[in-house]
Amino acid sequence: MIKFAAIAVVGLGSLLAAPSPDQWSAALQSSNGSSLAGSATAEGIGTADSTLVKISIHGAPPNATLPWHLHTGKCGATAAVVGAEAAYPKLHTSASGTAEGTATLAVRPVKSGAYAVQVHRGTAAPGKPGTDVIGCGDLRPVLNKMPGQ
């Protein structure tokens, strides 16, 4: 009986510390002289090929329309947009520079990949990729929690 209890405790500890394969979060930091900050999450939904991405920002330019995307790679070294660009509705900031948005993607990020959420000022200047990024956060797996936590 003691052996079974020890195995159960070890197993429970592993469950609590193991990253969830279908949930990620990011703290957004300012870029290129902006004062933007915020958070983003990504979570697998429904079938194995759908992802819900949520974003919440503050400190952005007031009354602005800002594109945002989930990209492969980490902040400062991102590559392609994950999913269709049209799946990301633009953020419309309030007079105080806050906004929230969601995107439902018909793909799910690869568990072992690196991803970042970027908020853009607009379009980048030709030959200067990344100069339009005003906020970025690297997605990290969310640790499992016990129900009710």
Side-chain angles (χ1 to χ4, degrees):
M1 182 66 147
I2 293 174
K3 188 176 191 180
F4 175 73
I7 291 170
V9 169
V10 170
L12 181 59
S14 297
L15 176 65
L16 293 175
S20 171
D22 294 317
Q23 294 182 335
W24 301 267
S25 68
L28 301 176
Q29 305 294 320
S30 61
S31 299
N32 293 314
S34 81
S35 57
L36 184 140
S39 62
T41 61
E43 179 175 4
I45 56 172
T47 62
D49 62 351
S50 296
T51 305
L52 178 65
V53 184
K54 296 180 182 181
I55 188 169
S56 177
I57 62 170
H58 56 89
N63 304 312
T65 300
L66 306 172
W68 67 286
H69 310 97
L70 174 61
H71 290 264
T72 57
K74 293 186 175 195
C75 291
T78 60
V81 171
V82 176
E85 246 184 271
Y88 299 90
K90 292 187 181 350
L91 299 172
H92 299 283
T93 62
S94 68
S96 62
T98 63
E100 293 183 349
T102 61
T104 302
L105 310 178
V107 297
R108 184 152 315 165
V110 178
K111 296 174 192 174
S112 62
Y115 302 95
V117 175
Q118 290 184 341
V119 178
H120 303 270
R121 175 181 300 115
T123 56
K128 297 182 180 181
T131 59
D132 70 323
V133 176
I134 59 173
C136 189
D138 292 330
L139 282 176
R140 300 194 191 319
V142 173
L143 298 180
N144 288 330
K145 294 182 180 180
M146 293 295 291
Q149 287 187 329

